[in-house]
Amino acid sequence: MSYYSDPTANAAIGAVDKEMRLMRKRAKLIAKQLHEGWLSQRELEQAQKEFRGIHRHLLREALEKQEAHHPKG
């Protein structure tokens, strides 16, 4: 789907959309691994360093969603 009649803008938007999809998928995987006990606190801290800038909210939202659907205890 084209947002603008500018091919350069379309390519840039497409690249950002692709990156956001990949980071959202990675965030869900990290949340699942943490919930299942496959991820240590150190590994979680390392993952949090990867989610900066426009991606910052993706990991937080995935962790909150995982906790809401599968509360511990």
Side-chain angles (χ1 to χ4, degrees), residues 3-73:
Y3 294 98
Y4 301 102
S5 60
D6 179 7
T8 304
N10 284 337
I13 291 169
V16 171
D17 286 345
K18 181 179 179 181
E19 185 176 358
M20 291 295 281
R21 277 193 314 272
L22 292 173
M23 292 298 281
R24 187 172 285 116
K25 186 176 180 180
R26 177 151 168 68
K28 287 178 184 179
L29 178 63
I30 290 168
K32 183 179 178 185
Q33 288 175 335
L34 181 65
H35 176 74
E36 293 175 353
W38 287 96
L39 203 65
S40 70
Q41 187 63 32
R42 183 169 185 238
E43 291 169 322
L44 175 61
E45 291 169 3
Q46 185 68 27
Q48 288 172 331
K49 290 179 184 179
E50 294 176 33
F51 286 83
R52 297 287 186 207
I54 63 173
H55 305 295
R56 182 179 49 233
H57 71 283
L58 296 175
L59 182 59
R60 180 179 33 91
E61 289 172 357
L63 292 170
E64 290 172 357
K65 194 174 200 179
Q66 182 72 26
E67 183 61 29
H69 284 100
H70 305 285
K72 290 183 180 178

